[in-house]
Amino acid sequence: MAWVGTGAVWTLSSGILKGSPLRQTPRAAMMSHADSTLRFVQISDSHIGFDKPANTDVVATLRAAIATIKAAPDPPAFVLHTGDLTHLSKAAEFDTLQQVLSELSVPVFYVPGEHDVLEDDGRSYLERFGKGTHGAGWHSFDQGGVHFIGLVNVVNLKAGGLGTLGAEQLEWLQKDVRHLKSSVPIVVFAHIPLWSVYPEWGWGTDDSERALSYLRRFGSVSVLNGHIHQVMRKVEGHVTFHTAMSTAFPQPAPGTAPSPGPIKVADDRLRKVLGLSRMSFHSVNHPIAITDVPLEADTQAATVQEVVMDNFSFTPMTPSVPVGTTITWTNRDDVPHNVVSTEQKFKSPVLDTGEQFSRRFDAPGTYPYFCSIHPRMTGRIVVA
């Protein structure tokens, strides 16, 4: 399923990146100065100006994203928009996008999509969203001990549509990270994926390997992209790639249609495919765990949430999930653990490395649990 919708809340602490759906994010899932945890929101592919049957009101969809962000108990530190702000690069579209996002009380950082540079060599985009950036809009900033890098790979697209970064930007990137210690967590955000999702549709970046060569010495690298309007992921060593959902419309899975483009769903199902994805980056040695969550529950769709046991902890510690979700615990530690309900409602067998235990939660409530072998390991499942 290619979820589209309102964005995802990102949490980054000590190089550990997690994501959770805005609609179901508890108070602890936003910015907390007490635990020095950095959290932020990613939205992508708003396509302001699009009005075809797949979504005749993309402004309303984007406003739903903004309203969800604003409704959170505590604000995120900032928002990342990973491109295709507009559909045709028209001044009125940029104006509308600015007006909607101005409702946020936190900073927004941008990179352009190919739909944002269709006119005047991208000058309209740069005038509005590129102040203080380099070249076509690439830039970097630091926050909470994390180095963020916004790259632009939608200018001078090659035949076939593959993204390209170009020599000037690559030289800037090399210099930008040269002074950083390898222990510094890195988050890269760009529009087109920096890995070859499906080159036949232009879903990849031609010179991404050179960019990644400058980042491989870092112990924690997360690459966030948009463009393909669906969640996909890939892990290569310490580098985790993730493509985000759109706030405008879904696109087909790679190779399942003659070409990419908006998918029309039945009107009564639109809100069921407007959704978010939950990400858990447990450590640099484990792949990112992804759970897709629709804004409106579909009783025919099974929802699964993974909880990982690693470094004598449960991650995520307190997931918030809809009724009917199956929780699967996976032991990635080198020692055995188990899962025991504090209220004696469920209990797993002893789980050795790589073993799993699953339980479906069909009633709302809070379900505390712990590992009886290592009692300091505790967690909670919040079912709403």
Side-chain angles (χ1 to χ4, degrees), residues 224-294:
L224 309 180
N225 302 120
H227 189 57
I228 72 172
H229 297 217
Q230 59 197 279
V231 171
M232 297 187 69
R233 71 181 177 98
K234 180 182 181 182
V235 179
E236 290 184 358
H238 294 171
V239 182
T240 297
F241 302 87
H242 174 258
T243 60
M245 68 293 297
S246 165
T247 68
F249 51 82
Q251 292 200 89
T256 60
S259 63
I263 295 177
K264 174 72 169 70
V265 298
D267 292 341
D268 62 355
R269 284 198 51 79
L270 181 59
R271 285 287 173 174
K272 293 181 174 60
V273 297
L274 295 175
L276 303 159
S277 54
R278 184 189 301 274
M279 320 299 169
S280 297
F281 187 10
H282 306 294
S283 81
V284 297
N285 295 318
H286 296 310
I288 193 170
I290 301 177
T291 301
D292 297 320
V293 182

Side-chain angles (χ1 to χ4, degrees), residues 13 42 56 73 77 88 91 108 112 159 171 192 207 212 226 238 247 258-259 277 315 339 349 369 381:
S13 178
Q42 180 194 8
T56 58
L88 295 174
V108 183
E171 291 172 4
I192 299 176
D207 50 2
L212 295 172
H238 294 171
T247 68
S259 63
S277 54
T315 305
V339 180
Y369 66 90
I381 307 298

Side-chain angles (χ1 to χ4, degrees), residues 221-363:
V221 180
S222 302
V223 181
L224 309 180
N225 302 120
H227 189 57
I228 72 172
H229 297 217
Q230 59 197 279
V231 171
M232 297 187 69
R233 71 181 177 98
K234 180 182 181 182
V235 179
E236 290 184 358
H238 294 171
V239 182
T240 297
F241 302 87
H242 174 258
T243 60
M245 68 293 297
S246 165
T247 68
F249 51 82
Q251 292 200 89
T256 60
S259 63
I263 295 177
K264 174 72 169 70
V265 298
D267 292 341
D268 62 355
R269 284 198 51 79
L270 181 59
R271 285 287 173 174
K272 293 181 174 60
V273 297
L274 295 175
L276 303 159
S277 54
R278 184 189 301 274
M279 320 299 169
S280 297
F281 187 10
H282 306 294
S283 81
V284 297
N285 295 318
H286 296 310
I288 193 170
I290 301 177
T291 301
D292 297 320
V293 182
L295 293 180
E296 289 186 5
D298 187 341
T299 57
Q300 296 179 348
T303 302
V304 179
Q305 167 75 53
E306 183 183 29
V307 174
V308 169
M309 293 173 277
D310 193 17
N311 295 322
F312 289 87
S313 63
F314 295 103
T315 305
M317 183 180 293
T318 310
S320 181
V321 300
V323 171
T325 297
T326 296
I327 303 292
T328 297
W329 287 267
T330 304
N331 184 9
R332 298 191 188 276
D333 251 333
D334 294 330
V335 297
H337 297 299
N338 66 357
V339 180
V340 179
S341 167
T342 304
E343 300 168 344
Q344 300 182 347
K345 294 182 178 180
F346 54 88
K347 180 179 180 179
S348 78
V350 175
L351 304 175
D352 205 349
T353 305
E355 294 184 333
Q356 295 181 322
F357 168 71
S358 297
R359 186 185 188 277
R360 181 183 169 101
F361 291 81
D362 290 318

Side-chain angles (χ1 to χ4, degrees), residues 145-288:
V146 181
H147 191 64
F148 289 82
I149 305 170
L151 298 180
V152 178
N153 54 2
V154 297
V155 178
N156 299 321
L157 294 179
K158 295 184 178 297
L162 282 177
T164 182
L165 296 164
E168 182 184 359
Q169 183 175 195
L170 288 166
E171 291 172 4
W172 170 86
L173 174 63
Q174 184 180 27
K175 294 176 181 177
D176 182 68
V177 301
R178 183 178 293 163
H179 70 287
L180 299 174
K181 295 180 179 180
S182 59
S183 59
V184 173
I186 304 292
V187 174
V188 178
F189 58 106
H191 183 63
I192 299 176
L194 293 183
W195 56 289
S196 295
V197 176
Y198 198 66
E200 292 85 345
W201 285 357
W203 287 3
T205 300
D206 186 64
D207 50 2
S208 61
E209 184 55 38
R210 181 177 165 187
L212 295 172
S213 71
Y214 303 143
L215 305 174
R216 296 197 187 280
R217 69 180 177 88
F218 295 94
S220 172
V221 180
S222 302
V223 181
L224 309 180
N225 302 120
H227 189 57
I228 72 172
H229 297 217
Q230 59 197 279
V231 171
M232 297 187 69
R233 71 181 177 98
K234 180 182 181 182
V235 179
E236 290 184 358
H238 294 171
V239 182
T240 297
F241 302 87
H242 174 258
T243 60
M245 68 293 297
S246 165
T247 68
F249 51 82
Q251 292 200 89
T256 60
S259 63
I263 295 177
K264 174 72 169 70
V265 298
D267 292 341
D268 62 355
R269 284 198 51 79
L270 181 59
R271 285 287 173 174
K272 293 181 174 60
V273 297
L274 295 175
L276 303 159
S277 54
R278 184 189 301 274
M279 320 299 169
S280 297
F281 187 10
H282 306 294
S283 81
V284 297
N285 295 318
H286 296 310
I288 193 170

